[in-house]
Amino acid sequence: MATVAVIGLGGMGSRMARRLLDAGHDLVVWNRTPQRASDLVARGAVAAGSPAEAARRADMVITMLSDPAALQEVAQGPQGVLAGATAPTTLVEMSTVGPAAVRRLAEMLPDGVALLDAPVLGSVSEAESGSLRIFVGGPEPLVQRWMPVLGALGSPLHVGPLGAGAAAKLVANSTLFGVLAVLGEALALADGLGLPRDIAFEVLSATPVGSQADRRRPAIESGQFPLRFALSLARKDVDLVVSAAESASVELPVAAAARQWVVAAQEAGLGDRDYSAVLAHITDTARSA
């Protein structure tokens, strides 16, 4: 058992923290809005007064934050994680922030403090059930040391050296946005050609996007998209995909086109809805064109 600090108690971080408590680990928590820690404290966690205090108390510090700017804010400064972390503490960056942010964090580590990047694939239901897919980047001995703790959160996969976890997450996310764009445009085409929706879904079930069509059909038909992953956060993720590709001199016209749909949906006022609401935006936009 280890003492684990969780920094960031949003929808994902709070559920991951509960999993760690249930697994028997000592838990220290910090969140910008302290009230979010109350349920965890009632279950036995210790609330820290700052990220630095949380890091001082812990063997392992998990950050689960919204974006690179939030990570930088929490990590740096006199009350930041890096001010409190000392050897042999390990930081585990589990947010989706991209390889560049992981490299910046690595450059600022105090002597003797280790770092893994381990972003997750899955949403709140997977975080609650402990079935996240976790892409871990870092040296093999360090990864193996912390595999038992990460295993309480889901299925960790060591994908390479530091930064590889962040890269793997962007690769995975690039497919999510591309599939949504293809599915939405296919439905828009069916509408434009006069094909009834029920027939369109029957046709799509026989294609490579069949499983996604079946999964998304109830939401598309009802117009209700249960919030699992906010479209505003999806916008951040697709921006990271396109930016990382540009930095690596890789041309991704499909990803760039999928990003345009996400941006348009956010600008249409759907930023606080689930990211799959982009499907409704695509079909509504096509009908009004």
Side-chain angles (χ1 to χ4, degrees):
M1 294 296 107
T3 299
V4 184
V6 176
I7 308 294
L9 300 175
M12 295 292 289
S14 60
R15 288 167 171 80
M16 293 163 64
R18 282 201 293 272
R19 293 287 310 178
L20 294 169
L21 269 179
D22 291 345
H25 299 289
D26 292 329
L27 185 67
V28 181
V29 293
W30 181 87
N31 192 74
R32 185 179 290 105
T33 306
Q35 291 84 349
R36 288 192 174 180
S38 58
D39 178 63
L40 291 164
V41 170
R43 291 169 175 254
V46 174
S50 68
E53 181 189 340
R56 279 193 294 270
R57 289 172 170 265
D59 306 309
M60 175 190 199
V61 181
I62 291 174
T63 50
M64 193 64 182
L65 303 160
S66 59
D67 54 36
L71 174 62
Q72 183 174 348
E73 181 181 345
V74 163
Q76 295 181 259
Q79 297 300 316
V81 170
L82 296 175
T86 57
T89 301
T90 298
L91 307 185
V92 184
E93 208 312 289
M94 302 191 74
S95 325
T96 301
V97 294
V102 172
R103 287 194 296 269
R104 287 193 295 270
L105 183 60
E107 291 168 356
M108 296 185 291
L109 290 177
D111 290 342
V113 175
L115 174 65
L116 298 174
D117 63 310
V120 303
L121 186 64
S123 190
V124 290
S125 58
E126 289 80 12
E128 192 157 343
S129 64
S131 57
L132 294 166
R133 296 296 302 274
I134 307 170
F135 305 126
V136 189
E140 178 71 25
L142 188 65
V143 172
Q144 292 305 318
R145 175 185 171 191
W146 293 112
M147 276 290 190
V149 177
L150 294 174
L153 305 175
S155 301
L157 174 66
H158 186 198
V159 293
L162 187 67
K169 179 60 187 296
L170 295 189
V171 170
N173 274 6
S174 70
T175 69
L176 300 180
F177 304 123
V179 167
L180 279 185
V182 168
L183 176 57
E185 290 188 4
L187 290 170
L189 179 61
D191 291 345
L193 297 178
L195 201 63
R197 275 286 174 87
D198 58 338
I199 299 299
F201 276 113
E202 288 297 320
V203 171
L204 288 171
S205 69
T207 72
V209 298
S211 61
Q212 279 293 310
D214 292 342
R215 177 184 172 190
R216 307 292 183 183
R217 183 173 182 174
I220 293 169
E221 291 183 335
S222 68
Q224 301 296 316
F225 297 88
L227 182 60
R228 287 167 46 90
F229 179 46
L231 192 142
S232 58
L233 293 176
R235 163 70 186 274
K236 177 264 299 183
D237 283 8
V238 75
D239 283 349
L240 286 171
V241 170
V242 173
S243 176
E246 291 174 351
S247 297
S249 298
V250 176
E251 292 188 17
L252 298 181
V254 172
R259 176 186 177 276
Q260 290 180 351
W261 279 121
V262 176
V263 171
Q266 184 179 28
E267 291 177 347
L270 303 181
D272 60 350
R273 299 184 65 186
D274 188 74
Y275 81 113
S276 59
V278 72
L279 293 166
H281 179 73
I282 293 172
T283 54
D284 290 349
T285 300
R287 278 198 297 268
S288 63

